[in-house]
Amino acid sequence: MDEQFDYVVIGAGSAGCVVACRLVEAGLKVALIEEGPTDKHMFVQMPGAFVRMIGTERTYLYKGEPQQELGGRHPIVPQGRMLGGGSSINAMIYVRGQPQDYDDWAAGGATGWGWNDVLPAFLRAEANEVLAGPLHGTTGPLRVSEPRHRHPLSSAFVRAAQQAGLPASRDFNGATQEGVGFYQTTTFDGQRGSTAATYLAQVLGRPNLRVLTGTRVRKLIIEGSRVTGVETENLKDGAIGRILAGREVILSAGALASPKILMLSGIGDPAELALAGIPVAHALAGVGQNFQDHLEVSVYGRTRDPISLVGQDQGLRALIHGLQYKLFRSGLLTSTVVESGGFVDTTGAGRPDLQFHVLPVLAGDADRAPLPGHGISINPCFLRPQSRGRVRLRSGHFADPILLEAGFLTARADVETLIRGVKLARKILRQPALQALISEELLPSAKPEISDAEIEAHIRAFAKTVYHPTGTCKMGTDALAVVDPSLRLHGMQGLRVCDASVMPSLISGNTNAPTIMIAERCAEFILKSPQ
């Protein structure tokens, strides 16, 4: 029999858990559908162990098409596949971006999404353990805390960056974003504070919420010009079912899966749908277009002594760290690994265009083993990419992976920003605070001076995503807009899209906090003006 709810939320990630929580709190009957399992795994809960989850059943590794701009490599974009989604496998960095990011959204057609419009939602979400005032919330579900662990290499970076002339910062979400320091994180009591562990945990067990894990959404159910529910598949027994929404369906599957579900349901560019053999239910040219992501590249330094994270998850050391964490909620496993970093204006335009993520280890990637031995990775990342890609269907079968044409580094401005970032990272590596710990630069070169061409070659060989896919169901009113400023799908009733896919352009920083803000606003729109 068909199951009936007021709202059906597709995807229990950073956005889906928030929307479901707020609707359930309002007394509405909600079904929350997640393809992956629960988040109940010790490596999910331990901040320092999250990398152990990448490549397991709790993640999905999206593989892009090979790119000449990346030396023929396939970019890999891991995404969360469990309760909490990306917030259950990310590095937990709490960054909102710059006020101008949101003012740019509003100026571009996302009316009502300027900085003064979105700040109340950020404050409503946040429970900051040390910061307060007009720019920080203290009573929301999302726990934000100071780092419990500071690795010597992370601390040395912060000092070295100041020696290189960069200002120190205590708060990257304060009056100005610029500076270097330690990131605040979405953690509490030494453990991960995903939206599953915070928002969803508040309403689990209530009779008006049903959470379905291990359940895939095959397509939306469309009657005329209205979405009325979803067709599902139980991944354990293959059973096909229908879950109906008396009011609305909320699509929160992420910037790679949300456009896929729309296209499989016949919503998209008619030419693209025809290639996959899917009848057009609603023509909407922008579905899957406008793909954006942050890219970074590592500058690697070898440490004089074996002080990095290498080997800390093996043998007796792993046992000691595990006991310390379990008994005292302290030590290395409370680290988010990416403890320090910062934001830099490399052009003098008065607005940071570059972010640093610093790892106290010679980091690899989802498709590349780390360099051997002990060291540090200083990763400059451009903040506002000019390159654009797209998400397409590989076929009309729901189980087939998407076709991701990422378009990374196709805009020359992105390459130039990373070149400036690598130069600055190399300068920081050579400051006294790091030179006391570093014996040599490994890559891009041990030579003090190298050409821009050599740096660019390093970028094209090693640049990787920061796992911030966005933009594929953009919000606005132009020809490629997929949703309106209330997140309703253009031209149809009964469906909203609520995740990072609706961002018209990438914000200047990590995307988890902004995605949660979007979900807070989506719930607010629904409760004020339900369809």
Side-chain angles (χ1 to χ4, degrees), residues 199-502:
Y199 281 89
L200 187 60
Q202 294 183 165
V203 295
L204 280 177
R206 294 198 186 185
N208 57 327
L209 171 66
R210 184 175 178 199
V211 179
L212 298 92
T213 56
T215 302
R216 173 188 288 149
V217 171
R218 293 160 56 103
K219 63 179 180 179
L220 303 171
I221 299 170
I222 300 173
E223 298 181 7
S225 62
R226 186 175 187 87
V227 174
T228 59
V230 298
E231 181 180 287
T232 63
E233 177 187 4
N234 185 305
L235 296 182
K236 289 184 178 179
D237 60 17
I240 307 299
R242 299 200 327 160
I243 302 177
L244 303 181
R247 297 188 181 184
E248 287 181 296
V249 173
I250 315 300
L251 179 54
S252 300
L256 297 176
S258 284
K260 177 183 180 182
I261 291 171
L262 289 175
M263 289 186 283
L264 286 171
S265 306
I267 300 172
D269 184 338
E272 288 292 324
L273 298 177
L275 290 174
I278 296 175
V280 177
H282 179 57
L284 206 53
V287 174
Q289 302 293 323
N290 194 47
F291 172 80
Q292 304 159 57
D293 200 348
H294 287 134
L295 257 67
E296 68 182 10
V297 63
S298 295
V299 170
Y300 296 110
R302 173 83 69 199
T303 56
R304 301 180 190 279
D305 300 313
I307 61 172
S308 77
L309 298 183
V310 170
Q312 297 297 325
D313 60 347
Q314 299 172 3
L316 181 60
R317 290 178 180 173
L319 178 61
I320 292 172
H321 293 315
L323 287 173
Q324 182 178 1
Y325 180 83
K326 189 169 183 63
L327 294 174
F328 306 109
R329 283 293 188 270
S330 64
L332 183 62
L333 289 174
T334 65
S335 169
T336 59
V337 181
V338 188
E339 298 171 344
S340 67
F343 295 85
V344 185
D345 174 8
T346 67
T347 66
R351 182 181 179 190
D353 62 333
L354 192 84
Q355 181 178 7
F356 282 114
H357 298 105
V358 179
L359 289 79
V361 68
L362 298 173
D365 195 12
D367 63 340
R368 184 176 71 243
L371 298 178
H374 290 266
I376 186 173
S377 303
I378 303 176
N379 296 352
C381 160
F382 54 63
L383 289 176
R384 293 179 295 280
Q386 301 301 304
S387 301
R388 296 291 186 269
R390 60 178 177 170
V391 171
R392 305 171 63 192
L393 291 179
R394 194 172 297 274
S395 77
H397 194 270
F398 59 86
D400 287 345
I402 61 169
L403 197 156
L404 172 60
E405 297 174 345
F408 292 145
L409 302 182
T410 51
R412 184 66 199 175
D414 294 345
V415 179
E416 296 291 344
T417 303
L418 286 180
I419 289 174
R420 294 193 301 272
V422 169
K423 288 180 177 179
L424 181 55
R426 299 183 78 228
K427 179 181 178 181
I428 293 170
L429 191 67
R430 285 163 170 77
Q431 299 304 311
L434 275 170
Q435 282 299 293
L437 303 174
I438 301 297
S439 62
E440 61 179 328
E441 179 182 318
L442 296 173
L443 289 173
S445 176
K447 297 184 297 183
E449 300 293 333
I450 57 176
S451 67
D452 286 5
E454 290 174 290
I455 293 176
E456 182 173 340
H458 173 70
I459 289 168
R460 297 198 182 279
F462 287 92
K464 58 178 282 297
T465 89
V466 192
Y467 317 147
H468 297 163
T470 57
T472 52
C473 299
K474 70 172 289 190
M475 170 174 46
T477 56
D478 61 276
L480 290 183
V482 175
V483 298
D484 69 16
S486 294
L487 305 182
R488 294 186 177 104
L489 195 82
H490 281 300
M492 294 203 77
Q493 295 180 311
L495 179 67
R496 299 187 204 233
V497 182
C498 173
D499 53 34
S501 71
V502 306

